[in-house]
Amino acid sequence: MLKKKHFGLAILLLPAVLVGCGSGFPKTYKVAGTVKLGGKPVDGALVTFVPSDGTKSAVGSTNAQGEFKLSTFGPGDGAQPGSYKVTITKTSTPPATATPALQPGVIASGDIGDDYAPPTGNEGGKGGSSAPKNLLPAKYASEATSGLIATVAENDNNTFDFDL
């Protein structure tokens, strides 16, 4: 008799449990657009929508035509509605640096020797840093200086085109 009582209670609670098992994420809306520099599409730029109200940022990368789609919680899901400051960066890929080969027997002995120095990224002797560099005007890398703003509406027709 007790088992039937619990079964009935479970049946009554099931709809409430199922309603609570949605995606668990706030509603997002599709956002797309283009990035151009001097009228030409920018391939490989990172577009970031930084919210002013504390919601989650949305990001997207441009393709060869300069087109992007934003993602917040999953690929291409868009952004939450609201006002955003926009940053756009495109970084160079630093060249791969070779790791110096260890002398035979060093690993076996567990001693790398007193003269070993870890790679610094400047082994080519060319000077400078191998850190990635922003290939777009620096002002667009910061939400404080970009001057780019966007307002995402509660629909799936949000399109933003940025000509830097």
Side-chain angles (χ1 to χ4, degrees):
M1 190 75 171
L2 187 60
K3 289 182 183 178
K4 287 184 181 181
K5 186 176 185 181
H6 288 287
F7 179 77
L9 182 60
I11 295 296
L12 288 174
L13 293 177
L14 185 62
V17 170
L18 291 176
V19 169
C21 290
S23 69
F25 297 117
K27 179 73 174 140
T28 57
Y29 297 90
K30 302 287 182 188
V31 177
T34 60
V35 175
K36 294 180 180 179
L37 179 62
K40 295 181 181 179
V42 178
D43 184 15
L46 180 67
V47 180
T48 306
F49 277 41
V50 181
S52 57
D53 64 359
T55 59
K56 190 166 170 54
S57 294
V59 297
S61 294
T62 59
N63 61 19
Q65 291 75 39
E67 302 166 335
F68 68 90
K69 292 181 182 176
L70 292 184
S71 302
T72 300
F73 302 107
D77 66 347
Q80 294 174 271
S83 180
Y84 293 85
K85 291 183 178 181
V86 181
T87 64
I88 303 174
T89 57
K90 178 180 177 176
T91 55
S92 64
T93 304
T97 56
T99 302
L102 296 175
Q103 297 175 352
V106 170
I107 293 175
S109 71
D111 180 13
I112 59 174
D114 293 335
D115 60 344
Y116 174 77
T120 63
N122 195 20
E123 283 70 40
K126 294 181 178 141
S129 171
S130 64
K133 294 181 182 173
N134 186 9
L135 302 175
L136 297 176
K139 76 178 207 169
Y140 298 113
S142 169
E143 68 236 32
T145 59
S146 77
L148 304 174
I149 57 170
T151 301
V152 175
E154 293 185 17
N155 64 58
D156 285 326
N157 297 318
N158 293 286
T159 303
F160 301 96
D161 298 319
F162 302 103
D163 197 348
L164 311 179

